[in-house]
Amino acid sequence: LTPSVVYISTTQTVVTNINPFPFEFPPGSPFEDMFKEFGTPQTRKARALGSGFIIDSKGIVITNNHVIKGAEDIIVRTDEGKEYKAKVLGADPLSDLAVLKIESDEEFIPVKFGNSDKARIGDWVIAIGNPLGLSGTVTSGIISARNRDIGMNRYEDFIQTDASINVGNSGGPLFNMDGEVIGVNTAIYSITGESVGIAFAIPSAIAGNIV
């Protein structure tokens, strides 16, 4: 399955105001807005990492919207190390899904959507992605729960898994043991920001319709 999983890097320009004064005002203070105009705008390039997977031989890629939101450049890298530019065909912030097109005439190896409605608690699953920039990482676990509402988007029906998911896994596929995508890895629950075995994926039954 690894040839069908891609690793996404994006860049965007971020503008911040540098406070010229050696003190800060608490949020909501009347002085906060007054002194904002004295700040010096500074621009910098911010980079983000994520994952995705190919669903069409023409290079159609699925990922999370938050991976590509505000991106000026999107680079997609395959497991072979080839890099391509990609453009956004469509994005839905409410479901946190996005569809990309790799800008190439090459043929790619797609994966198939499975039926997430048939997935049961206790079923084994496998995640492939780009956690912390370590591309080609495969982790496994089980489905821990179904129909989770985590207050993240309009479609609250997440699959919970204990497969290890970290920063950079977002947008990557969650496979059943037949090699079919039954979820799009989207979020983790963590106090530290690192994997604690509580991750959430958008079910393929929802993702497929939105895509």
Side-chain angles (χ1 to χ4, degrees), residues 99-175:
V99 181
L100 312 180
K101 171 68 172 69
I102 297 174
E103 296 184 335
S104 170
D105 294 328
E106 294 181 38
E107 283 206 356
F108 298 89
I109 302 172
V111 292
K112 294 180 179 179
F113 277 116
N115 187 351
S116 58
D117 289 338
K118 292 184 177 180
R120 302 166 301 171
I121 295 173
D123 281 353
W124 282 93
V125 288
I126 287 177
I128 304 179
N130 188 31
L132 307 176
L134 298 170
S135 59
T137 296
V138 180
T139 55
S140 68
I142 62 169
I143 294 176
S144 305
R146 296 288 313 273
N147 310 116
R148 284 298 197 204
D149 181 346
I150 61 174
M152 184 174 172
N153 62 33
R154 174 187 285 180
Y155 309 98
E156 292 293 340
D157 187 22
F158 287 94
I159 295 172
Q160 182 182 327
T161 177
D162 65 351
S164 183
I165 303 293
N166 285 283
V167 175
N169 274 114
S170 289
L174 186 70
F175 292 105

Side-chain angles (χ1 to χ4, degrees), residues 180-203:
E180 301 167 330
V181 177
I182 60 166
V184 182
N185 299 317
T186 298
I188 63 173
Y189 177 83
S190 175
I191 297 173
T192 64
E194 300 173 351
S195 174
V196 294
I198 302 176
F200 302 96
I202 301 168

